[in-house]
Amino acid sequence: MIPVKTEEEIALLRESCRIVKECLDFVGGHIRAGMTTKEVDDMVYRFITAEGAEPSCLGYCGFPASACVSVNEVVVHGIPGDRVLCEGDIVSVDLCAYKNGFHGDGARTFAIGEVSAEKQKLIRVTKECFFQGIEGLKAGTPLYDIGYKVQRYAEANGFSVIRSYTGHGIGREMHEDPAVPNYGRKGTGPRLPAGAVICVEPMIAAGGWRVQVADDGWTATMLDKKPAAHYENTIVIRENGVEILTL
Ligand code: MF3
Ligand code: CO
C-alpha cells in the first residue's frame, strides 16, 4: 500500500518543503570556489535551524552532517569536510528539513564557476530527467512509469541512471514507501493514489551506472570516476497532476 496524506498533513509538509527550497536557493546563491564542503554544510545547518526546523540528515543512521555534499564523481551521500571547492567542480547538495512532525527533501547540483560542457549538459539533463519523470503524472499512474521516463531521457542523452539508490515516499519519516526507482518498465508497478507524497530524485552519471561506497559507509562514488548529478523534489500526487512542494 502506498501511504496517502490528508490536506492537513500536506499543509505541514508544504512548510517543511518551503524551508528546503529556500535553503537550496540560499546555498545556490552563496556556494563558491574556495569554500570547503563543511562550510556548505554550516550554511545549511544555520539556515534550517533559523527557520525553527531541524536538519533531518544530522544523525540519521549516524550521518554526521546536515546536508550531503557530493563533488564531481561522488553521486550522493558525500560527507562534508575539508575538501575545498574549485572552479570546474560540480557539487550536489541534498538536504532535508523536519518541522511540525514532517520532513521535506530536495537536492540540486551546482556548478562552481565555469565547468566543462559535459558537466553543464549533465546538470541540465539531470534536472530535465525530473521533469520528464513527472510528465503526465497524476493519480492512477503506474509507479514505474516515472523511472521509465527518467531512464529513457537520460540514456537518450548518452548518460546512465544509478540503480542502487532510489526516490521514496516521505512524511513523518524521511523515507517511507514506496521506493521510486529511476529506471523501470512502462505500465508497471502499483498505481499512485491521490495524496501520495513522494521524492522523485534522478541521480544521473556521465559514464557507467556502477557505484562504489567508500569505507566511511556513505560516500557513493562512480566506479569509473566520471561525474554524476542529482536533482530532487518532494511532490504530491493530485487527481489531475502533481504539486511540487520544493520548487
Ligand atoms: N536526503 C537524502 C534522500 O534524498 C537522504 C540522505 S541520507 C542521510 O533520501 F543520511 F544523509 F540523511
Ligand atoms: Co530523497
Side-chain angles (χ1 to χ4, degrees):
M1 278 293 286
I2 298 175
V4 298
K5 269 72 182 177
T6 65
E7 287 307 318
E8 290 72 26
E9 291 172 322
I10 291 169
L12 298 176
L13 277 155
R14 199 176 280 119
E15 166 68 359
S16 301
C17 288
R18 175 193 65 78
I19 296 166
V20 168
K21 179 241 186 266
E22 289 183 7
C23 186
L24 288 167
D25 288 347
F26 182 82
V27 170
H30 289 82
I31 197 168
R32 55 173 174 74
M35 223 174 232
T36 65
T37 53
K38 179 73 176 80
E39 288 175 295
V40 175
D41 184 60
D42 290 342
M43 271 197 290
V44 170
Y45 178 81
R46 284 195 293 266
F47 191 98
I48 291 177
T49 54
E51 290 283 347
E54 290 169 37
S56 320
C57 290
L58 187 59
Y60 177 83
C61 296
F63 191 77
S66 299
C68 300
V69 183
S70 307
V71 183
N72 295 333
E73 70 276 10
V74 179
V75 55
V76 287
H77 299 170
I79 298 176
D82 55 13
R83 166 72 153 88
V84 177
L85 301 178
C86 304
E87 172 111 9
D89 285 338
I90 60 171
V91 188
S92 300
V93 178
D94 183 0
L95 56 96
C96 298
Y98 180 72
K99 189 174 176 180
N100 302 319
F102 288 88
H103 298 270
D105 186 359
R108 305 284 184 264
T109 300
F110 302 109
I112 305 300
E114 286 288 307
V115 304
S116 70
E118 184 189 54
K119 284 175 168 174
Q120 283 176 41
K121 180 183 172 193
L122 180 63
I123 291 174
R124 174 177 59 79
V125 168
T126 302
K127 179 176 180 178
E128 289 168 354
C129 278
F130 168 84
F131 289 98
Q132 288 286 322
I134 66 164
E135 191 268 319
L137 182 57
K138 59 181 182 172
T141 301
L143 177 61
Y144 301 144
D145 277 13
I146 299 172
Y148 166 76
K149 288 175 177 173
V150 168
Q151 181 174 28
R152 187 184 55 174
Y153 190 76
E155 291 177 357
N157 279 282
F159 297 147
S160 61
V161 299
I162 277 65
R163 274 53 162 176
S164 45
Y165 299 92
T166 67
H168 50 91
I170 190 166
R172 292 191 180 274
E173 305 294 332
M174 184 165 68
H175 292 146
E176 298 184 358
D177 281 345
V180 183
N182 291 308
Y183 55 88
R185 258 179 48 225
K186 192 178 164 65
T188 66
R191 290 178 185 276
L192 284 157
V197 181
I198 61 172
C199 295
V200 176
E201 47 178 317
M203 289 156 264
I204 306 298
W209 55 267
R210 285 191 174 74
V211 170
Q212 193 171 38
V213 178
D215 290 339
D216 61 26
W218 287 103
T219 314
T221 301
M222 302 316 302
L223 204 60
D224 60 13
K225 302 283 187 267
K226 299 262 174 62
H230 188 194
Y231 184 89
E232 171 179 24
N233 286 308
T234 301
I235 68 172
V236 187
I237 307 299
R238 297 297 196 182
E239 288 297 345
N240 296 308
V242 299
E243 182 184 348
I244 304 176
L245 299 184
T246 46
L247 209 57

